Amino acid sequence: MEPSSATSGFFQSPPTIPPQFLEDTALRRIISLHLPSPTPSSVEQDLFRFSRLVLSRSHLAHAADAERNQPYLRPLTTFGVENKQDPLVTSEGWRKLQDIGIQEGIVGLAYANSQLQDGGNAGAQWNNRVYQFVKYHLWTASAAMVTCPSAMTDGAAKLLGKHLNDPDGAIFTEARNRLVSRDPGFAWTSGQWMTERKGGSDVRGTETVARKLSVQEQKASSGVDAVGHPLGPWQIDGFKWFSSATDANMTIMLAKTGSDGQISAFYAPLRKKVQGATEGETELNGVKIQRLKNKLGTKTLPTAELELKGMRGYLIGKEGEGVKEISTLLNITRMHNIIGAVGGWGRGLAISRAFAKVRVTGGKLLTDVPAHVRALARDHVMYHGQMHLSYLVVSLLGISEGQDCRLAQATRAGILPTDAQQANALLRLLTPMAKAQTALRSINGLRACMENLGGVGYLENEDPLLNIARVFRDTCVLSIWEGTTDIMADDLVRVIKSRQGPAILLAVDQWVANALAIAKHSFEREGAKLQREWEQWLQSSKTKDKEQLKWEGRDLLVGLEHVICGLLLVLDAVRDNNPAAREIARRWILQDQATYGSWEDEAAWDKMIVFGDEGTATARL
């Protein structure tokens, strides 16, 4: 027997990760539900091409470069003077990925005309938010966190779009046009600065102060931003404790105004032209980067502490309405958080499936080890539920923006309401729950995906395609970004107990009743269980006071998640009676109460759920 060596002996065959557009069953069903069926050719071709691009060696090299060459600061010039022009250094890979995201329309797709995208065909209408976030799903695990500035860019575009007719509308229009552009040479990205030393989600402790300059002061400190527009009439001073996307072109932030310290929202360019310098030379607009944060994950992303001294900007909306204004942005960034979570998890599961097809243990492929497939099946059931929840919320966002969903099967299946008021009620109630639960489920799911690969899964692999550890690290932030789980639970309670709460609950109750009416015909037992759970949840929400509901907040999130996801899985399954879809719905709802003729029957269903192989599955449907 010959001993192994560095160049001889056994070497594991590498798994082949197929494009998720073709292989991810949950994603395929989402596309068939929430985009027109059949999928418009331009959309299908684009998604297929992109799903291959994000797995290509050349593309992943950019992600590896961004991870290897992390951002750093050059705070001083050679002679010890503050470096105001280029203190932040990012990698070539990071900048390339930024450009790719812009070109691919990771933000811009949401603001495009779907008919124009399909050659002006009047029948080719779809929800651009769905198209955008399906592409985002494919992108997120290969993007080295450029999705973070994309999220804030999308939110800023939505916010500024509401103020194009304001007195400073020309400034906002220029910025918004750049935020939604797909030309890297013209496009901008945006930051979002709220978090200060006193806290993040609770903005009442904001210590940043904005003061409107007098006409004389404005003349004395005249200047223009990087594209030649006058610097804003407001001077902003303070300290921001967390600022992701520090390399952005502009930012949206909160600051206190007036003698009573009202919270107001501001737009500010990040750079201004250097007076008297060479044409085109710019420097930071009253911003000093104090230090970069050292984080568990998202290491490619330049997150910094910023000191603002004399930063110039423009008021958005009215003084004292900053929280109201910033909520528009947060609703968008939370949507990115949701899809970023399931997108990372989807990649982890794709790698797990591929690895199981090549890894042999005990003389068997992992695909033929029932215990391994059983664990995978449980995660796939949870993933399917989270995917349906995520894209319901995505579609509802599009509907709230006037997007067209009439040709989507989800409308015919009773998933998407045709009443705008009901759609808005669902969107408001479900967004905080979806943000909280997708983050928690995906973090736990990606931990399991690392385990699915054994020791290889725990490694920071040189091969970026298999680096689940990096995806896990980056995903961990999603239960914190844009509001922690408890903040999301508080937001849910705030909705329930608000003045509009009874009307929102009534609209959601009507949606649930319609879904249950469909479910009872072929999912009688499951429908009855969901109905009991919903009645208990609704009764609890109505009768308990606000403080008790906040104390029970996480239970409230889980209860709502189980009912809504269960109904979505049922509505998806009954449209085509797909055996695997029916079994997934049954398992989600009944959980440990699901019964089988034998453990072998259940194991056969496990394999079908994970790998799409019906085998000899004989479980009762």
Side-chain angles (χ1 to χ4, degrees):
M1 179 181 294
E2 292 293 325
S4 61
S5 70
T7 57
S8 64
F10 173 78
F11 289 92
Q12 175 63 53
S13 300
T16 299
I17 316 298
Q20 285 173 258
F21 175 70
L22 299 178
E23 192 260 352
D24 187 328
T25 303
L27 183 63
R28 292 297 306 172
R29 292 191 72 82
I30 289 297
I31 291 170
S32 70
L33 265 177
H34 290 280
L35 287 172
S37 186
T39 309
S41 59
S42 62
V43 175
E44 181 148 3
Q45 291 167 12
D46 183 48
L47 293 176
F48 175 63
R49 174 197 60 80
F50 190 61
S51 68
R52 297 182 65 189
L53 173 69
V54 298
L55 299 177
S56 67
R57 182 174 293 274
S58 59
H59 178 88
L60 290 170
H62 299 318
D65 178 72
E67 192 75 28
R68 188 182 307 112
N69 299 298
Q70 295 170 13
Y72 65 92
L73 290 181
R74 296 185 302 201
L76 303 175
T77 67
T78 301
F79 298 103
V81 178
E82 180 186 349
N83 180 6
K84 296 181 179 181
Q85 292 184 283
D86 56 355
L88 175 64
V89 181
T90 57
S91 68
E92 178 70 15
W94 170 265
R95 295 191 297 274
K96 286 282 190 183
L97 290 170
Q98 288 265 43
D99 287 349
I100 292 170
I102 290 167
Q103 289 172 322
E104 293 290 344
I106 296 301
V107 172
L109 277 175
Y111 301 90
N113 185 314
S114 62
Q115 291 189 39
L116 293 178
Q117 293 176 58
D118 208 51
N121 181 357
Q125 297 176 342
W126 58 79
N127 187 331
N128 271 330
R129 283 294 183 184
V130 176
Y131 184 12
Q132 172 197 20
F133 281 113
V134 168
K135 204 164 186 180
Y136 194 100
H137 185 281
L138 299 168
W139 170 240
T140 187
S142 298
M145 293 311 301
V146 300
T147 47
C148 174
S150 295
M152 292 178 282
T153 298
D154 195 350
K158 180 71 178 289
L159 175 57
L160 293 181
K162 297 174 62 178
H163 294 279
L164 301 183
N165 295 320
D166 286 6
D168 295 316
I171 298 292
F172 297 153
T173 298
E174 171 75 21
R176 185 180 182 275
N177 287 343
R178 290 176 177 273
L179 293 173
V180 303
S181 172
R182 296 180 66 170
D183 176 4
F186 179 78
W188 278 2
T189 60
S190 178
Q192 170 194 324
W193 301 349
M194 291 199 303
T195 304
E196 300 196 7
R197 284 179 291 229
K198 279 193 174 182
S201 298
D202 184 0
V203 299
R204 291 171 296 182
T206 295
E207 296 178 310
T208 299
V209 176
R211 179 178 67 88
K212 190 168 186 179
L213 301 177
S214 66
V215 175
Q216 291 77 14
E217 287 176 312
Q218 291 180 49
K219 289 181 179 179
S221 58
S222 62
V224 295
D225 65 17
V227 294
H229 290 300
L231 295 176
W234 289 81
Q235 177 176 301
I236 305 165
D237 299 277
F239 191 86
K240 297 297 182 180
W241 184 239
F242 274 95
S243 65
S244 294
T246 309
D247 60 338
N249 304 91
M250 56 158 282
T251 191
I252 303 293
M253 76 179 90
L254 295 178
K256 286 185 174 178
T257 58
S259 58
D260 53 354
Q262 302 176 89
I263 302 294
S264 304
F266 290 88
Y267 153 82
L270 259 290
R271 304 189 71 83
K272 61 182 180 180
K273 289 189 176 180
V274 180
Q275 295 185 356
T278 306
E279 178 67 25
E281 192 172 346
T282 64
E283 64 182 10
L284 291 173
N285 173 24
V287 179
K288 178 182 178 181
I289 305 174
Q290 174 156 294
R291 63 172 173 173
L292 295 179
K293 299 288 194 180
N294 187 12
K295 302 158 290 181
L296 168 69
T298 68
K299 291 181 177 294
T300 58
L301 174 68
T303 305
E305 297 171 15
L306 303 178
E307 184 181 36
L308 312 182
K309 279 191 175 181
M311 189 177 198
R312 298 281 290 279
Y314 293 85
L315 177 69
I316 300 174
K318 298 178 181 178
E319 286 189 62
E321 295 188 357
V323 175
K324 174 186 172 183
E325 295 291 351
I326 211 73
S327 66
T328 297
L329 189 154
L330 288 176
N331 287 335
I332 300 298
T333 55
R334 285 173 180 170
M335 195 68 66
H336 284 253
N337 205 99
I338 290 167
I339 302 302
V342 293
W345 191 9
R347 178 67 61 79
L349 288 172
I351 295 170
S352 297
R353 290 190 296 271
F355 186 74
K357 294 175 182 178
V358 298
R359 182 63 173 174
V360 175
T361 180
K364 294 181 179 180
L365 286 170
L366 287 176
T367 55
D368 297 323
V369 177
H372 183 79
V373 179
R374 186 187 192 197
L376 278 174
R378 289 176 173 175
D379 285 344
H380 278 72
V381 169
M382 181 61 70
Y383 173 65
H384 276 256
Q386 299 303 314
M387 284 287 283
H388 281 283
L389 171 63
S390 299
Y391 283 91
L392 168 62
V393 180
V394 165
S395 286
L396 292 171
L397 172 63
I399 291 171
S400 75
E401 296 173 335
Q403 298 281 340
D404 195 338
C405 290
R406 290 172 297 174
L407 298 180
Q409 283 195 30
T411 302
R412 297 195 292 272
I415 292 173
L416 294 179
T418 55
D419 178 74
Q421 183 178 358
Q422 189 178 54
N424 288 331
L426 280 164
L427 178 63
R428 183 64 186 94
L429 190 73
L430 298 184
T431 298
M433 181 272 283
K435 190 276 174 189
Q437 296 307 106
T438 53
L440 293 177
R441 302 301 188 189
S442 297
I443 292 167
N444 187 57
L446 280 161
R447 183 217 57 78
C449 288
M450 286 196 297
E451 185 179 347
N452 292 336
L453 272 63
V456 172
Y458 189 64
L459 297 178
E460 293 283 359
N461 289 295
E462 284 299 312
D463 183 350
L465 181 59
L466 302 179
N467 198 342
I468 297 180
R470 191 266 305 165
V471 181
F472 171 74
R473 285 191 290 103
D474 289 348
T475 301
C476 282
V477 77
L478 298 181
S479 64
I480 300 171
W481 262 355
E482 310 311 319
T484 63
T485 306
D486 285 338
I487 292 296
M488 293 299 97
D490 278 356
D491 192 27
L492 182 64
V493 173
R494 188 179 304 112
V495 175
I496 293 169
K497 294 301 182 181
S498 69
R499 187 187 311 170
Q500 297 80 27
I504 290 174
L505 289 177
L506 177 61
V508 176
D509 186 39
Q510 291 170 344
W511 181 88
V512 170
N514 291 336
L516 287 170
I518 297 171
K520 70 179 183 181
H521 294 294
S522 54
F523 284 88
E524 183 177 356
R525 181 186 175 195
E526 294 82 1
K529 184 173 185 289
L530 288 177
Q531 184 165 3
R532 290 193 301 272
E533 291 178 4
W534 173 247
E535 289 172 352
Q536 292 169 2
W537 189 92
L538 194 60
Q539 179 70 10
S540 178
S541 299
K542 290 179 177 179
T543 58
K544 293 178 180 177
D545 64 32
K546 186 174 182 179
E547 292 307 311
Q548 183 175 356
L549 286 179
K550 290 171 70 174
W551 178 67
E552 298 176 356
R554 292 193 180 217
D555 295 334
L556 205 64
L557 292 170
V558 172
L560 183 60
E561 171 200 33
H562 192 255
V563 171
I564 298 298
C565 290
L567 289 171
L568 290 171
L569 289 168
V570 166
L571 293 173
D572 173 51
V574 298
R575 67 189 173 107
D576 61 1
N577 281 318
N578 177 274
R582 291 181 62 85
E583 176 65 8
I584 288 168
R586 195 173 79 97
R587 288 189 178 195
W588 175 280
I589 298 165
L590 298 181
Q591 298 175 316
D592 293 338
Q593 298 173 22
T595 57
Y596 301 86
S598 67
W599 76 266
E600 290 93 346
D601 289 345
E602 184 175 354
W605 277 116
D606 292 338
K607 197 167 187 179
M608 179 180 175
I609 288 169
V610 177
F611 299 107
D613 180 11
E614 294 190 26
T616 58
T618 57
R620 181 181 62 82
L621 286 173

